[in-house]
Amino acid sequence: MVEQDKNKRGKPNGEAEAAPLPDEHITVVEDALPGGDVQEVRVVSPEKRIRELEEALSAAEKKAEECYQQFLRSRADFENLRRRVNKEREEFLHFAGETLVASLLPVLDNFERALESPGEELNAFLTGVEMIYRQLKDVLAQEGLEAISAVGQEFDPTRHEAVAYEPGGEQPPNTIIAELRRGYTFRGKVLRPALVKVAKESET
């Protein structure tokens, strides 16, 4: 190939002297073969290329700094949120039983009145205590407390705790024949299993 540069000038002795090239210039490249086409190629000077790379690097560093600062702000926001959530959780756990305790206050009031004025008749006193007992059961039931069925039911180790096995007579084996302590569930979860006696096969 034969390369011809449009940015050439002559020296005093007649020789061509290369002029300083601008940032971008056109170089004419002629195909050395006969009938070859003439092409113009845009050439970028190394100085301009270096400036472009420096500008790109500067922009990338600025973007990286912005992302880092955004990361620091996000981390600070997350820490603040975590501390606030932990504080709210502690407050919730601390006052979780407040509603239940408030609903039990009328029951406590009735017990106090019954003890202050037991009455002359024992039956009347027992009737009052029974009313308070029902009131207490209703309050706990509204909160999700339920008694576990026991006597006459088939023994279930997830809901019952057997403390004795006795011949059940007409009761089929593995049937609960007595309840020694009532069990309860709270919102579907076993809070306390029932202590029971279970029928076993009669010895022959």
Side-chain angles (χ1 to χ4, degrees), residues 160-181:
H160 308 122
E161 182 177 345
V163 295
Y165 288 87
E166 297 180 359
E170 297 180 356
Q171 296 286 348
N174 209 38
T175 300
I176 297 173
I177 56 178
E179 182 182 58
L180 305 181
R181 187 189 68 187

Side-chain angles (χ1 to χ4, degrees), residues 2-183:
V2 177
E3 181 177 329
Q4 300 176 355
D5 199 322
K6 293 182 178 180
N7 297 282
K8 288 187 178 181
R9 59 186 179 186
K11 292 184 180 180
N13 58 3
E15 296 180 1
E17 180 180 357
L21 296 177
D23 288 341
E24 292 188 12
H25 63 280
I26 304 300
T27 299
V28 178
V29 179
E30 182 178 355
D31 198 331
L33 298 177
D37 296 333
V38 176
Q39 300 178 355
E40 293 184 353
V41 180
R42 186 174 298 275
V43 179
V44 179
S45 67
E47 291 79 5
K48 182 178 181 181
R49 184 58 179 162
I50 291 174
R51 286 197 302 271
E52 291 177 346
L53 293 175
E54 289 176 345
E55 292 173 358
L57 177 60
S58 177
E61 290 176 344
K62 182 179 179 180
K63 183 65 175 178
E65 179 65 21
E66 292 176 354
C67 293
Y68 179 68
Q69 293 300 327
Q70 183 178 4
F71 163 74
L72 293 180
R73 290 192 295 269
S74 299
R75 186 173 66 176
D77 292 341
F78 173 77
E79 289 297 325
N80 293 334
L81 176 62
R82 184 177 63 83
R83 284 193 292 267
R84 184 167 65 251
V85 169
N86 288 338
K87 182 179 179 180
E88 292 176 353
R89 182 178 60 182
E90 291 175 359
E91 292 178 352
F92 172 78
L93 294 176
H94 185 72
F95 295 102
E98 181 178 1
T99 302
L100 176 60
V101 171
S103 62
L104 289 175
L105 290 180
V107 180
L108 182 62
D109 294 337
N110 289 336
F111 266 121
E112 290 176 350
R113 282 192 286 268
L115 293 174
E116 290 173 359
S117 303
E120 297 179 357
E121 295 184 5
L122 180 60
N123 290 336
F125 176 74
L126 293 177
T127 300
V129 172
E130 185 179 357
M131 292 176 60
I132 298 174
Y133 171 71
R134 288 198 299 268
Q135 184 183 18
L136 176 60
K137 284 185 62 177
D138 291 341
V139 170
L140 295 177
Q142 291 175 1
E143 294 295 325
L145 187 71
E146 295 182 7
I148 296 175
S149 300
V151 177
Q153 303 291 320
E154 183 178 1
F155 176 75
D156 181 356
T158 64
R159 298 165 63 86
H160 308 122
E161 182 177 345
V163 295
Y165 288 87
E166 297 180 359
E170 297 180 356
Q171 296 286 348
N174 209 38
T175 300
I176 297 173
I177 56 178
E179 182 182 58
L180 305 181
R181 187 189 68 187
R182 184 161 298 177

